[in-house]
Amino acid sequence: VLSSRPENPVDPRLTGVLPGEREFVKEFPGAELASSMLARSLERLGQAVATSVSAVWRQHGLSHAAGNALAVIEGAHGSVTPGEISASMHITSGSITSLLDTLEKKHLIRRDSHADDRRKVSVTITTAGTDLLDAALPAIQMLVKQAFSDFTASERAELLGLVAKAYTAVTALDLTDLPTGTRNRPPR
């Protein structure tokens, strides 16, 4: 059983309540408890990091998504279209319009007619937007540095490599042909 091995302690804050390995395999034939625990742990870690970063953005009057949009706009080093911002952030055009409305109302960006095509809009960051990023981004970098300060440089590099490997595997899944499985519902 994974949770009883001292070299592999399982923190229930990451995995939630999961059955023991024998019960898990009986309930989900062909599945693997360790993979389920890993997926759940990575999901919870991502949520915890996002919550922490969101706290910094809130201190500066923005949502996490609005802060990310502002950083994408600044990173373009000039004007950028809403479509380019939404593609970079992997969000819908409707969502990006709402974020841009918020940023424009706060005078952090400016929207103008596109130079080559009046049907398009160009978005640029304002001085106020750059000033906000100058305050928020260093705070976020210090926060994540603090979060991972218990890891050695070697451990951080190893973890980064493993996370990249996991990301590659998950994003390579064929979501048009999802696997099926069986569940033997335990008696209640």
Side-chain angles (χ1 to χ4, degrees), residues 56-185:
V56 174
W57 286 119
R58 279 193 309 276
Q59 286 181 338
H60 294 278
L62 295 179
S63 68
H64 192 156
N68 283 347
L70 192 60
V72 166
I73 296 163
E74 182 194 48
H77 302 291
S79 64
V80 62
T81 67
E84 292 167 330
I85 300 165
S86 65
S88 176
M89 294 180 63
H90 307 287
I91 61 174
T92 66
S93 60
S95 295
I96 199 64
T97 298
S98 176
L99 289 174
L100 295 178
D101 288 345
T102 297
L103 295 172
E104 190 172 41
K105 285 176 189 167
K106 292 178 179 282
H107 306 287
L108 302 173
I109 63 161
R110 192 179 71 246
R111 287 190 269 198
D112 298 302
S113 294
H114 194 275
D116 299 330
D117 186 345
R118 289 184 171 265
R119 294 171 296 174
K120 291 184 180 180
V121 173
S122 292
V123 181
T124 53
I125 193 166
T126 64
T127 302
T130 302
D131 290 346
L132 188 145
L133 289 178
D134 287 347
L137 293 178
I140 290 168
Q141 294 308 316
M142 296 310 293
L143 182 75
V144 295
K145 178 183 177 188
Q146 182 181 354
F148 294 104
S149 65
D150 287 345
F151 290 82
T152 66
S154 174
E155 288 171 331
R156 287 191 302 270
E158 182 180 5
L159 183 57
L160 189 56
L162 291 171
V163 168
K165 185 176 181 179
Y167 181 83
T168 298
V170 170
T171 56
L173 292 172
D174 181 358
L175 301 180
T176 62
D177 186 25
L178 297 173
T180 59
T182 303
R183 178 179 184 212
N184 299 317
R185 192 175 331 150

